[in-house]
């Protein structure tokens, strides 16, 4: 009779080893949590932690999806890899979460896994960036920013700046540091700025190069562009982290930046450290991109829980910052 328990123990150990019980345990864990305390289980697939902006974006969901607010959040960091996000979404589906929040690292390649979420009847809410899908029913709503308008704002600021400096007719040479290839934020900002730049024959975009939204890549790419082009007048950098790296490279090359410098700096995000540099005249203008999106997403989930209709797109409030409007009060009031 000793034999039977031995076989049973061996089976359990083998099953555990192959993750079988882990999976069952995870499923029961999510459902237990939900039943025990009637919490709404939210699976969040965050694309990475590449920038100060991303950190603030993650913090905004952590502050929104707390137990006190009636949530149980499972947060996964994909480290900039789409395949990690797809795995995370499949994991959320197998755990039967109530909602999936996805900040998609790139626009394409989502149809299959979003179809799986739809078939599992789990609503998907996009955060920050968008996806390029033919079937718009594959996601319930998007909370983010209008990146094309952000790009246009940068172009319109440069138009006004040239008028103010009485340089509207002067030839200017521009380089663009672009964010992650394939990311909607990068695609939108590039398109928006190009729409305005295309109206000015004297604006010469020497080169647009990907620098992945990171400080390191921003510095590396800027160093190379400075070697290649000796007459850069304007740098358009699609996020503050790349801007920090670019400014380091420009200063190391012996050139100067900002309102009194020989290279004009246009940046995006408006994180606190960057706004301090705007106040100091180092960055000429910073186009805000608000990362505080967790609360908006929680509001959408509450509406859905009450059976109410929700809009397809929600854009967060955003401003444009220059020395003129970055006051100490603005700096003190920043949450990111
Ligand atoms: C913008 C967001 C971008 C930020 C970067 O909506 O996707 O990603 O501008 C971040 O700082 O890395």
């Amino acid at each position: 009779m000793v034999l039977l328990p031995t076989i049973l123990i061996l089976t359990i150990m083998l099953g555990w080893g192959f993750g079988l019980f882990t999976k069952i345990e995870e499923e029961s864990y999510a459902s237990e949590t939900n039943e025990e305390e009637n919490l709404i289980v939210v699976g969040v697939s965050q694309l990475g932690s590449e920038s100060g902006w991303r950190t603030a974006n993650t913090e905004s969901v952590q502050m929104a999806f707390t137990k006190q607010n009636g949530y149980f959040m499972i947060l996964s960091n994909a480290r900039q890899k789409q395949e990690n996000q797809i795995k995370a979404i499949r994991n959320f589906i197998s755990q039967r979460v109530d909602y999936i929040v996805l900040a998609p690292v790139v626009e394409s390649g989502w149809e299959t896994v979003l179809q799986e979420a739809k078939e599992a009847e789990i609503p998907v809410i996009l955060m920050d960036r968008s996806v390029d899908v033919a079937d718009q029913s594959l996601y319930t709503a998007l909370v983010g920013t209008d990146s094309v308008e952000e790009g246009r704002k940068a172009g319109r600021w440069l138009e006004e700046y040239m008028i103010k400096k009485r340089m509207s007719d002067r030839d200017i040479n521009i380089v663009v540091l672009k964010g992650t290839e394939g990311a909607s934020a990068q695609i939108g900002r590039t398109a928006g700025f190009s729409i305005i730049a295309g109206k000015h024959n004297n604006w010469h975009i020497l080169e647009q190069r990907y620098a992945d939204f990171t400080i390191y890549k921003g510095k590396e790419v800027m160093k190379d562009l400075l070697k290649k082009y000796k007459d850069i007048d304007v740098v358009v950098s699609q996020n503050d982290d790349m801007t920090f790296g670019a400014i380091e490279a420009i200063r190391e090359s012996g050139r100067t930046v900002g309102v009194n410098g020989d290279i004009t700096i246009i940046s995006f995000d408006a994180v606190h450290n960057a706004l301090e540099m705007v106040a100091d005249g180092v960055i000429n203008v910073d186009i805000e991109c608000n990362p505080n999106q967790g609360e908006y997403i929680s509001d959408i989930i509450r509406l859905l829980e009450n059976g109410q209709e929700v809009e397809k797109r929600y854009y967060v409030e955003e401003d444009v910052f220059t020395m003129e409007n970055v006051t100490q009060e603005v700096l003190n009031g920043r949450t990111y």
Side-chain angles (χ1 to χ4, degrees), residues 23-35 96:
K23 191 167 176 305
I24 292 169
E25 189 193 55
E26 275 175 353
E27 277 179 6
S28 62
Y29 184 62
S31 58
E32 257 166 35
T33 309
N34 194 9
E35 280 149 21
R96 297 199 304 277

Side-chain angles (χ1 to χ4, degrees), residues 255-275:
R255 301 195 63 187
T256 56
V257 293
V259 294
N260 298 316
D262 51 31
I263 297 185
T264 297
I265 303 292
I266 298 175
S267 192
F268 292 77
D269 280 354
V271 296
H272 190 278
N273 298 357
L275 287 191

Side-chain angles (χ1 to χ4, degrees), residues 181-202:
E181 186 174 1
S184 59
Q186 176 272 122
I187 294 167
R189 288 172 187 168
T190 302
F193 182 76
S194 301
I195 289 165
I196 304 297
K199 296 195 290 184
H200 302 274
N201 295 333
N202 58 321

Side-chain angles (χ1 to χ4, degrees), residues 50-51 53-54 128-129 145 185 189 213 238-239 241 269 289:
E50 74 285 359
S51 62
W53 187 97
R54 186 66 51 200
D128 173 31
R129 298 184 185 170
T145 59
R189 288 172 187 168
F213 285 134
Q238 292 181 352
N239 89 322
D241 290 67
D269 280 354
C289 175

Side-chain angles (χ1 to χ4, degrees), residues 35-196:
E35 280 149 21
E36 249 168 50
E37 304 174 44
N38 199 23
L39 298 175
I40 299 171
V41 182
V42 182
V44 178
S45 171
Q46 179 57 288
L47 61 89
S49 44
E50 74 285 359
S51 62
W53 187 97
R54 186 66 51 200
T55 303
N57 183 239
T58 300
E59 283 167 358
S60 82
V61 287
Q62 286 167 324
M63 281 161 53
F65 299 132
T66 60
K67 202 169 174 181
Q68 292 78 357
N69 290 341
Y71 293 99
F72 179 82
M73 178 176 73
I74 308 166
L75 176 62
S76 121
N77 175 343
R79 292 172 177 73
Q80 305 292 324
K81 292 190 179 349
Q82 183 177 30
E83 63 264 29
N84 290 345
Q85 293 198 281
I86 291 171
K87 274 184 210 147
I89 292 169
R90 288 188 168 132
N91 186 30
F92 296 152
I93 292 170
S94 70
Q95 294 192 62
R96 297 199 304 277
V97 299
D98 298 308
Y99 294 89
I100 290 171
V101 175
L102 168 66
V105 61
V106 292
E107 276 190 331
S108 58
W110 299 102
E111 285 81 357
T112 303
V113 75
L114 292 181
Q115 185 59 38
E116 291 167 18
K118 184 178 178 182
E119 285 160 11
E121 296 180 344
I122 300 175
V124 174
I125 299 169
L126 300 181
M127 171 171 72
D128 173 31
R129 298 184 185 170
S130 57
V131 295
D132 181 14
V133 291
D135 177 2
Q136 292 298 301
S137 75
L138 290 178
Y139 66 92
T140 303
L142 175 145
V143 174
T145 59
D146 183 345
S147 51
V148 176
E149 180 56 16
E150 289 167 353
R152 276 197 287 260
K153 284 177 182 176
R156 285 197 291 265
W157 176 85
L158 188 54
E159 284 179 325
E160 289 156 23
Y161 182 68
M162 298 287 281
I163 292 167
K164 215 185 296 179
K165 303 282 271 186
R166 301 187 193 290
M167 297 192 325
S168 294
D169 299 330
R170 185 183 299 185
D171 281 326
I172 53 168
N173 294 319
I174 302 166
V175 292
V176 180
L177 301 184
K178 299 205 287 187
T180 307
E181 186 174 1
S184 59
Q186 176 272 122
I187 294 167
R189 288 172 187 168
T190 302
F193 182 76
S194 301
I195 289 165
I196 304 297

